[in-house]
Amino acid sequence: MIADEENSAGPTILTVTGSVEHSNRGPSDGFSDAFFAFHDIEFDRAFAFDRAQLGALGIQSLHVSYPGWPEDGVVVAGPRLAAVLDHVGATGETVTVRALDGYAVTFDRETIADTPAILAIDANGDPLGIGGRGPVWLVLPSSSYAGQPKDDAPLVWSAFHIAIE
Ligand SMILES: Nc1nc2c(c(=O)[nH]1)N[C@H]1C(S)=C(S)[C@@H](COP(=O)(O)O)O[C@H]1N2
Ligand SMILES: [Mo]
């Protein structure tokens, strides 16, 4: 693996590609990066995070509730999306958060970076995993930015990829 800083020690759970100033891995490989290939995601370099690296960016908690959720809402924890964007030196105009199932939401970078959005890796004290809402769940409070839908449509669960464009 070609890397210029901070290699992941554990399995990668989130990869940031596109307009990033800092990277810790080289180009996507048609063989080993099979799931990126499945999603037609190609890149020259990227920043790959394991859980520990995301945790090292500073864990924040959020208690949120949306229509149709359990009555008490959910307490999630993880780094601020803004901290992750800072860490990779994101410079593009948009941030697209993409999930395992292909669901993706694109945000204006400066708008989303000004919100308390977090990339949750735990919910109600338990690590988020695949089959649940993990490995990463984008969570933000209601009314965090102008025009935010009233429901939880922007809250991408099972996220694994962020593209900066
Ligand atoms: N990975 C993923 N995240 C997603 C979705 C999805 O289909 N896939 N649906 C979104 C929408 S439109 C809503 S309203 C909420 C809740 O959808 P759900 O009830 O399908 O979880 O999750 C959002 N996050
Ligand atoms: Mo939805």
Side-chain angles (χ1 to χ4, degrees), residues 103 151-153:
Y103 183 80
D151 65 4
D152 52 338

Side-chain angles (χ1 to χ4, degrees), residues 100-143:
L100 302 174
D101 62 348
Y103 183 80
V105 177
T106 298
F107 302 91
D108 177 79
R109 179 175 60 81
E110 289 181 357
T111 301
I112 196 70
D114 277 346
T115 72
I118 66 165
L119 292 168
I121 53 175
D122 295 307
N124 293 335
D126 292 322
L128 287 171
I130 292 169
R133 290 178 185 264
V136 170
W137 184 16
L138 173 70
V139 177
L140 67 169
S142 303
S143 306

